[in-house]
Amino acid sequence: MIITTVKELREYLGAQRTSGKSIGFVPTMGFLHEGHLSLIRRAKAENDTVVVSDFVNPTQFAPNEDFESYPRNIERDEQLATGAGADVVFYPSAEEIYPRGSSTFVEVAGDITRVLCGASRPAHFKGVTTVVAILFNIVQPRRAYFGQKDAQQAAILIKMVADLYMDIELIVCPIVREEDGLAMSSRNTYLSATERAQAVILNKALREGQAAFEKGEDNVEKLIRQITGKINEAPLACIDYVSIYAYPSLKTIETVSDKALAAVAVRFGKTRLIDNIILEK
Amino acid sequence: MIITTVKELREYLGAQRTSGKSIGFVPTMGFLHEGHLSLIRRAKAENDTVVVSDFVNPTQFAPNEDFESYPRNIERDEQLATGAGADVVFYPSAEEIYPRGSSTFVEVAGDITRVLCGASRPAHFKGVTTVVAILFNIVQPRRAYFGQKDAQQAAILIKMVADLYMDIELIVCPIVREEDGLAMSSRNTYLSATERAQAVILNKALREGQAAFEKGEDNVEKLIRQITGKINEAPLACIDYVSIYAYPSLKTIETVSDKALAAVAVRFGKTRLIDNIILEK
């Protein structure tokens, strides 16, 4: 079932809540793939009613980014989401989420939003935290599900929920990958055949970094150098960043002593891909 | 009953909610006066369970302002609040509301936060919207009560709730005044006897402005000039602003055509007082 307005969704969820049903929520930008479906299945296993939002949020795209071309297919999304256990697909217009004159923002300040993707996408996470706060207030779920693929987003949202005392449990689920290791992403559809073949280098390089770490290398600079070198073996790869930070604080470290996030962003032509792996002793 | 931790408050309110009770919420900075008590009475009349928060929020004070000296008296507050119908007084520490590393903000952008008190207190409303969002998430009330005395704050919070789709009804209650017309305020205790006698000029000037409006004067500049002239009759009065804006948008107007807010901020020595009146055709 597709619902497009806040009013209808609230009526539906109000009735669910009155009859004691727990609500699980999976916010997405649509064009669902196996990664999203794994979140929906988990949400259905842990809650009575599952809401999937399907909203390409304009405020998290910069003017030069791919908001217009971002892939969309609501009919297919509804089929896939329902098949995975969703009870409702919430598919609002931009005007429904941001009515005329809307000017309230939720922002997580500090390094956590400045490093990694925050460096090249300065307004991105403010758009993410604002839309997620709005969606949380509309859906009022008991649990919400996010993918580890967007590790920085997950860390920021965990912080937002804690700092603002939102009464919601966030659950971060593992990255789902193609057979060759490429992390699933709606943006993978942008890749040409040659780019697609080379894109596997992100995961390969991260796994090599992890292997080196497991053999005893804990120097962040050396690990970054190794991952960078591997990615550069792919002729079309243009690195945005290769970074290692403490996880989930995203604080700067020189040595991996506890839990750390190794994360990469790499462009292939116009397509920007991200991937990451957790290093843990 | 005083509760000081979020955990205890959530346990108490969870039980209330489970037994079907509606929750009304009155956020205050304590040192309760008849204005606060009128909000608590109304909350009790319209809800089963009433929570009053008593928290002098540090983030809405600038370094040069009166955070340290702001009057406090939790024992008296509990007595007064309970007498007016409060079931719980939530009295958290600053560390409880802002645990170490807390860095998430809620901000309403635009003229609404830049005019009036926003001009001389640039970070004030960001502190207000953040703490109110946190308190709303902790208490999760059906209705929350604010005084018209802080008219700009009320307008901003109404916008925050609408923009972020918070599922809470905001109710703005009339200003409660001393017998001579001075608007009740915890800060009135700062006034010397001479200042206190002259402070009545805020309300007098606003009422004269309203009388002129009702006789047909709708030119904003002329109304402001008249109110300003009247306030300046009090020798100790030092005007911060005398302004008229559309209400509740706080947009600039030249003529009062619909609903407008006439608002003043005036210093007496170190004490800054505010007052306002609605002009409506």
Side-chain angles (χ1 to χ4, degrees):
Chain A
M1 173 174 55
I2 296 177
I3 290 181
T4 59
T5 66
V6 175
K7 189 169 175 292
E8 280 172 279
L9 184 63
R10 279 196 165 152
E11 279 166 15
Y12 171 80
L13 292 175
Q16 298 288 308
R17 240 176 245 112
T18 304
S19 52
K21 303 232 167 125
S22 63
I23 294 162
F25 179 41
V26 182
T28 82
M29 296 215 301
F31 212 72
L32 303 184
H33 53 62
E34 193 53 37
H36 302 107
L37 301 183
S38 72
L39 304 180
I40 298 170
R41 282 186 210 109
R42 170 117 183 232
K44 192 60 185 180
E46 296 176 350
N47 303 273
D48 300 315
T49 304
V50 172
V51 179
V52 174
S53 65
D54 191 314
F55 179 60
V56 184
N57 173 39
T59 69
Q60 69 191 69
F61 289 81
N64 62 324
E65 292 179 350
D66 58 341
F67 172 68
E68 291 298 338
S69 59
Y70 196 86
R72 291 157 168 94
N73 190 336
I74 180 62
E75 288 78 17
R76 186 171 157 274
D77 285 349
E78 192 206 3
Q79 278 194 345
L80 289 170
T82 306
D87 297 280
V88 181
V89 176
F90 180 49
Y91 180 65
S93 66
E95 294 69 32
E96 185 73 9
I97 298 298
Y98 305 110
R100 216 169 98 88
S102 174
S103 70
T104 304
F105 301 95
V106 177
E107 188 164 18
V108 177
D111 286 347
I112 196 168
T113 48
R114 266 187 241 120
V115 298
L116 298 172
C117 292
S120 61
R121 308 185 74 187
H124 173 66
F125 289 115
K126 186 176 173 181
V128 170
T129 45
T130 300
V131 79
V132 171
I134 290 171
L135 292 169
F136 279 0
N137 287 332
I138 293 170
V139 177
Q140 298 175 51
R142 186 175 303 171
R143 300 180 192 86
Y145 298 80
F146 294 87
Q148 176 65 21
K149 161 98 178 331
D150 299 301
Q152 184 176 16
Q153 170 178 282
I156 291 166
L157 291 174
I158 287 169
K159 185 158 170 46
M160 173 185 82
V161 164
D163 286 357
L164 295 185
Y165 277 105
M166 291 175 168
D167 195 12
I168 296 171
E169 188 186 347
L170 289 204
I171 292 157
V172 183
C173 303
I175 299 177
V176 177
R177 299 181 179 280
E178 304 287 354
E179 270 188 24
D180 67 354
L182 177 67
M184 296 226 179
S185 166
S186 307
R187 289 187 170 103
N188 289 350
T189 56
Y190 296 154
L191 298 168
S192 71
T194 325
E195 290 168 344
R196 171 64 189 81
Q198 293 187 19
V200 70
I201 200 70
L202 278 76
N203 181 238
K204 270 195 183 150
L206 284 167
R207 281 194 291 122
E208 280 199 13
Q210 189 183 38
F213 170 71
E214 281 168 0
K215 274 186 205 142
E217 181 57 71
D218 61 1
N219 181 281
V220 163
E221 200 185 316
K222 284 187 189 160
L223 287 167
I224 288 176
R225 207 178 307 142
Q226 180 183 338
I227 296 167
T228 305
K230 184 69 185 175
I231 293 174
N232 282 331
E233 287 178 10
L236 298 175
C238 177
I239 292 177
D240 183 352
Y241 63 73
V242 173
S243 302
I244 296 176
Y245 288 103
Y247 190 78
S249 71
L250 302 191
K251 297 230 178 282
T252 299
I253 47 173
E254 288 178 12
T255 308
V256 181
S257 55
D258 194 9
K259 204 174 178 180
L261 176 78
V264 300
V266 179
R267 287 176 201 282
F268 288 88
K270 286 184 181 172
T271 309
R272 184 174 177 279
L273 302 179
I274 59 174
D275 200 352
N276 67 80
I277 210 161
I278 300 287
L279 306 178
E280 196 167 11
K281 274 196 173 160
Chain B
M1 174 174 52
I2 295 177
I3 289 181
T4 59
T5 66
V6 174
K7 188 170 177 293
E8 280 171 281
L9 184 64
R10 280 198 165 152
E11 280 167 13
Y12 171 81
L13 292 175
Q16 298 288 308
R17 240 175 245 113
T18 304
S19 52
K21 303 232 167 123
S22 64
I23 294 162
F25 180 42
V26 183
T28 82
M29 296 215 301
F31 212 72
L32 304 183
H33 53 62
E34 193 54 37
H36 301 107
L37 301 183
S38 72
L39 304 179
I40 298 171
R41 282 186 210 107
R42 170 116 184 234
K44 191 61 185 179
E46 296 177 351
N47 303 272
D48 300 314
T49 304
V50 172
V51 179
V52 174
S53 64
D54 190 313
F55 179 60
V56 185
N57 173 37
T59 69
Q60 69 191 69
F61 290 82
N64 62 323
E65 292 179 350
D66 58 342
F67 172 67
E68 292 297 338
S69 60
Y70 196 87
R72 290 158 169 94
N73 191 335
I74 180 63
E75 288 77 17
R76 186 171 157 275
D77 285 349
E78 192 205 2
Q79 279 194 344
L80 289 171
T82 306
D87 297 279
V88 181
V89 176
F90 180 48
Y91 180 64
S93 66
E95 294 68 33
E96 185 73 10
I97 298 298
Y98 305 109
R100 215 168 98 87
S102 174
S103 70
T104 304
F105 301 95
V106 178
E107 188 164 19
V108 177
D111 285 347
I112 196 168
T113 48
R114 265 188 241 120
V115 299
L116 299 171
C117 292
S120 61
R121 307 185 74 188
H124 172 67
F125 288 115
K126 186 176 173 181
V128 170
T129 45
T130 300
V131 78
V132 171
I134 289 171
L135 292 169
F136 280 0
N137 287 332
I138 293 170
V139 177
Q140 298 175 51
R142 185 175 303 171
R143 300 181 191 86
Y145 298 80
F146 294 87
Q148 177 65 23
K149 161 97 178 328
D150 299 301
Q152 184 176 16
Q153 170 178 282
I156 290 167
L157 292 174
I158 286 168
K159 184 157 170 47
M160 173 185 83
V161 164
D163 286 356
L164 296 185
Y165 277 105
M166 291 174 169
D167 194 12
I168 296 172
E169 188 186 348
L170 289 204
I171 293 157
V172 183
C173 303
I175 299 176
V176 177
R177 299 180 179 281
E178 303 287 354
E179 270 189 23
D180 66 356
L182 177 66
M184 296 227 180
S185 166
S186 307
R187 289 189 170 101
N188 290 350
T189 55
Y190 297 153
L191 297 168
S192 71
T194 326
E195 289 168 346
R196 171 65 189 81
Q198 292 186 21
V200 71
I201 199 71
L202 278 76
N203 181 237
K204 270 194 182 150
L206 284 166
R207 280 195 290 119
E208 280 198 14
Q210 188 182 39
F213 170 72
E214 280 167 2
K215 274 185 205 142
E217 181 56 72
D218 61 2
N219 181 282
V220 164
E221 199 185 317
K222 284 186 189 160
L223 287 167
I224 288 176
R225 207 179 306 141
Q226 180 184 337
I227 296 168
T228 304
K230 183 69 187 175
I231 293 174
N232 281 331
E233 287 178 11
L236 298 175
C238 178
I239 291 177
D240 182 353
Y241 63 74
V242 173
S243 303
I244 296 176
Y245 289 102
Y247 191 78
S249 72
L250 303 191
K251 297 227 178 283
T252 300
I253 46 173
E254 289 177 12
T255 309
V256 181
S257 56
D258 194 9
K259 202 172 179 179
L261 175 78
V264 300
V266 180
R267 288 176 200 281
F268 289 87
K270 286 183 180 173
T271 308
R272 183 174 177 279
L273 301 178
I274 59 174
D275 200 352
N276 67 80
I277 210 160
I278 300 287
L279 307 177
E280 195 166 12
K281 276 200 173 155

